Amino acid sequence: MSDGSSFYVTTPIFYVNDVPHIGHAYTEVAADVLARWHRQAGDPTWFLTGTDEHGQKILRTATANGVSPKAWADKLVAEAWQPLLNTIDISNDDFIRTTDARHEVNVQLFLQRLYDAGYIYTGEYEGYYCVGCEEYKQLSDLVDGTGQYEGQLVCAIHSKPVELLKERNYFFKMSEFAGRLLELYKTRPDFVQPESVRNEIVSFVSRGLTDLSISRQTFDWGIKVPWDESHVVYVWFDALLNYATAAGYGYDEEKFARLWPATHIVGKDIARFHAVIWPAMLMAAGLEVPKQVYGHGWLLVGGEKMSKSKLTGIAPEQITDTFGSDAFRYYFMRAINFGQDGSFSWEDLAARYQAELANGFGNLASRVIAMVTRYFEGAIPAAVETAVTEAERSIRATERRVTAAADAAVSRLAIHEAIARIWELVDELNGYITEQEPWKLSKDPANADRLATVLNTAVRGLGTLAVLLSPVVPEAAAKLWVALAGVGTVQEQPIRSAYEWQGGDRVEPLEALFPRIEVEATA
Ligand code: MSP
């Protein structure tokens, strides 16, 4: 068990039936910002992401493309999912594929242990299965189809017909865990968050749990059930275990003890798997449940959950090619309250890029560095104690306040709020420069002490911003840090004392952090 300061954060592992869209990238960025923040705070941090490669959905896609499922998965991982991590600057420590041997072998080990402990039995199952969700559905989960599916019941998420399946399967005695799960939600209200998702989970489990079918016999693209190779493990049971098998479960117990338990960042659509099935599996195996399951909201396009299957998918590169990865990261983390749904629009992205990143932050950095270059030939001036006024004291106080407030917000996973707090410093520094008018101070040598003090304060404020914003806009923060002659890399600067930086010797030239963009081309 970890001592509490360690931070093991995960994303869902993504299906490789298709290429990534911005909804997937959104989850990645959120987990990445949290991981970078904790790393920079000095907390032992481990960030896992990966791909979910078994099951009928992948098998069907591969077959339709005339290749084996493994060949299909290899291609998608190499050509789409791994490159996504570069596209949006993800700092993951590990990447797990459910076809990795470390995963397959230890899923079997886990399953065998549950079997030996009496938690698994054979039974018949008949129900409606949605291959898109890879899940049996209750009738109440289905809605009337429209268009080509008129007259049929379809999955509410995928808007596609479900399939009636009748199989002899292995079952996990999940129903036995309803009481313990409810107790968990009650004694640890933070276990599932945000509150809206927690309420949904509590009410779902309060209605009682059925046992879970955990094997399939009608196809063979999956991990074989160890005591009966005519079955493969149900893809969700297999997939959820990635969080344990990547962390050393079954083969590196020291690592597992160090990392576990994890904070799982998932979309709210899959919170049930993570907050009900997964802790029940862990309880059955005698393992600790996760630290937290956080179900974030959906990116909506035209009012609907954005998805490739509904043809509303937008590829991350469509945004990063024009705006860059920092702007992508900033925009989604800032514009959407983490935990709620949010609508994506090109207009909003372009407007925030221009107002907040280019004019607000980028311009501030360029102006301050240009003034130090012009008035002090690049040498960062020291503040003169006798010239310090209330305005400088206010900036220093804001630096401390926003550092603490942003850290507190990150610990609640309120990423949007952390950025909003940091932006108070951006805004205050901009106002400070406007009011102090260093360009006027520079005209009269009698004001030399004030000019030095104002530019010293502005440079230190920028240093604080570089340190605090590094988890969100790592490229811009790194460039700014170099321009400010910061020692080492910005990622090494302790984020919880971001305001302590004293300034370097000389500024270096700084290219525009967020250059002007011809928006028409992307609209
Ligand atoms: N393979 C499963 C997860 C297994 S985890 C043990 C899966 N994969 S998925 O490829 O469909 O991607 C799921 C995740 O992508 C969602 O939980 C969510 O985090 C993210 N998103 C997919 N579409 C999204 C939006 N439109 N908006 C926000 N996030 C979305 O489910």
Side-chain angles (χ1 to χ4, degrees):
M1 196 201 299
S2 69
D3 67 4
S5 75
S6 90
F7 187 66
Y8 172 28
V9 63
T10 70
T11 69
I13 49 169
F14 300 94
Y15 287 128
V16 291
N17 62 308
D18 210 340
V19 298
H21 58 56
I22 59 174
H24 305 122
Y26 176 66
T27 309
E28 286 283 4
V29 169
D32 187 64
V33 169
L34 297 171
R36 285 178 185 264
W37 188 283
H38 281 272
R39 235 182 251 130
Q40 221 180 301
D43 302 334
T45 300
W46 194 255
F47 172 20
L48 173 72
T49 188
T51 43
D52 191 351
E53 305 184 7
H54 293 128
Q56 233 165 334
K57 171 146 106 171
I58 313 296
L59 177 61
R60 285 188 187 174
T61 308
T63 308
N65 284 277
V67 291
S68 74
K70 181 64 167 62
W72 178 260
D74 286 348
K75 178 179 157 67
L76 268 276
V77 168
E79 294 175 7
W81 290 93
Q82 291 271 17
L84 168 71
L85 306 177
N86 287 329
T87 304
I88 50 173
D89 219 348
I90 298 300
S91 67
N92 57 305
D93 297 289
D94 196 357
F95 187 96
I96 188 156
R97 300 180 53 180
T98 52
T99 49
D100 287 350
R102 61 177 172 161
H103 177 73
E104 297 194 338
V105 169
N106 293 296
V107 166
Q108 290 186 320
L109 177 81
F110 183 95
L111 201 58
Q112 187 68 52
R113 286 183 180 165
L114 255 52
Y115 186 66
D116 295 344
Y119 285 113
I120 289 174
Y121 63 91
T122 351
E124 280 278 326
Y125 198 85
E126 182 170 4
Y128 296 107
Y129 196 81
C130 169
V131 176
C133 293
E134 292 281 16
E135 185 186 18
Y136 276 108
K137 297 284 178 183
Q138 302 299 316
L139 267 180
S140 57
D141 296 327
L142 306 178
V143 295
D144 290 327
T146 52
Q148 61 172 316
Y149 303 126
E150 184 102 38
Q152 296 183 57
L153 284 174
V154 299
C155 163
I157 295 176
H158 290 90
S159 306
K160 294 221 173 108
V162 287
E163 299 172 21
L164 185 62
L165 298 183
K166 186 172 179 184
E167 279 187 86
R168 198 162 171 74
N169 295 333
Y170 289 101
F171 282 73
F172 165 50
K173 292 183 182 169
M174 191 163 73
S175 57
E176 287 191 7
F177 294 91
R180 280 179 67 187
L181 287 168
L182 288 171
E183 190 57 26
L184 169 68
Y185 309 144
K186 192 165 138 204
T187 52
R188 285 177 44 190
D190 279 352
F191 176 75
V192 195
Q193 281 294 315
E195 217 45 36
S196 52
V197 176
R198 178 172 184 271
N199 291 341
E200 195 238 286
I201 298 289
V202 171
S203 95
F204 175 75
V205 178
S206 303
R207 294 194 291 270
L209 290 178
T210 54
D211 289 343
L212 180 73
S213 161
I214 55 153
S215 72
R216 301 290 310 274
Q217 220 180 357
T218 47
F219 64 94
D220 69 354
W221 177 235
I223 300 174
K224 297 222 178 317
V225 170
W227 62 87
D228 180 352
E229 298 214 336
S230 68
H231 288 248
V232 292
V233 179
Y234 169 47
V235 62
W236 268 101
F237 199 89
D238 158 353
L240 287 162
L241 277 162
N242 88 86
Y243 305 126
T245 58
Y249 172 80
Y251 61 99
D252 187 345
E253 294 304 332
E254 180 280 321
K255 181 177 176 186
F256 187 63
R258 186 161 37 85
L259 296 182
W260 195 253
T263 297
H264 299 307
I265 306 297
V266 301
K268 64 180 179 180
D269 48 332
I270 57 170
R272 244 191 234 180
F273 294 96
H274 287 79
V276 181
I277 300 178
W278 179 222
M281 286 165 64
L282 290 162
M283 285 172 180
L287 297 170
E288 210 180 329
V289 298
K291 192 185 278 178
Q292 186 171 58
V293 174
Y294 194 93
H296 66 66
W298 287 341
L299 296 190
L300 309 175
V301 170
E304 271 201 62
K305 178 181 182 230
M306 195 205 54
S307 83
K308 286 279 285 189
S309 58
K310 291 185 180 168
L311 301 178
T312 49
I314 299 169
E317 315 83 72
Q318 285 176 260
I319 294 175
T320 56
D321 284 353
T322 306
F323 292 90
S325 60
D326 277 355
F328 184 103
R329 297 167 60 94
Y330 172 82
Y331 173 71
F332 286 106
M333 293 300 106
R334 175 78 201 260
I336 298 170
N337 287 1
F338 197 57
Q340 294 173 16
D341 292 349
S343 293
F344 168 77
S345 86
W346 289 101
E347 292 74 15
D348 190 32
L349 166 64
R352 281 184 182 268
Y353 179 91
Q354 199 51 42
E356 295 164 20
L357 290 175
N359 296 343
F361 176 46
N363 247 351
L364 172 70
S366 309
R367 286 165 84 201
V368 169
I369 286 180
M371 288 190 282
V372 174
T373 307
R374 191 170 321 131
Y375 307 138
F376 293 90
E377 286 161 359
I380 298 173
V384 179
E385 211 36 56
T386 50
V388 170
T389 68
E390 199 41 51
E392 285 74 40
R393 281 191 280 276
S394 170
I395 298 280
R396 299 302 286 166
T398 300
E399 287 170 359
R400 280 179 179 267
R401 178 172 54 76
V402 304
T403 301
D407 190 51
V410 167
S411 70
R412 283 183 282 113
L413 272 55
I415 303 173
H416 57 287
E417 203 184 307
I419 301 175
R421 295 287 80 78
I422 299 168
W423 230 256
E424 289 171 16
L425 180 58
V426 173
D427 292 340
E428 191 169 328
L429 281 168
N430 272 316
Y432 173 74
I433 300 288
T434 307
E435 277 163 29
Q436 301 304 320
E437 302 181 304
W439 46 92
K440 281 197 183 154
L441 295 174
S442 75
K443 298 221 164 84
D444 183 350
N447 293 326
D449 287 356
R450 273 303 293 155
L451 181 64
T453 303
V454 168
L455 288 183
N456 173 277
T457 303
V459 165
R460 283 168 59 159
L462 280 181
T464 305
L465 285 176
V467 175
L468 289 175
L469 287 172
S470 171
V472 184
V473 288
E475 271 184 21
K479 281 185 199 156
L480 178 56
W481 190 248
V482 169
L484 296 174
V487 175
T489 65
V490 70
Q491 282 96 340
E492 291 161 358
Q493 310 309 314
I495 208 158
R496 291 188 183 121
S497 43
Y499 52 84
E500 274 176 3
W501 184 62
Q502 295 296 313
D505 291 339
R506 300 184 60 79
V507 294
E508 302 283 337
L510 177 68
E511 59 183 276
L513 292 178
F514 298 97
R516 203 182 152 68
I517 282 171
E518 289 314 322
V519 180
E520 285 69 26
T522 63

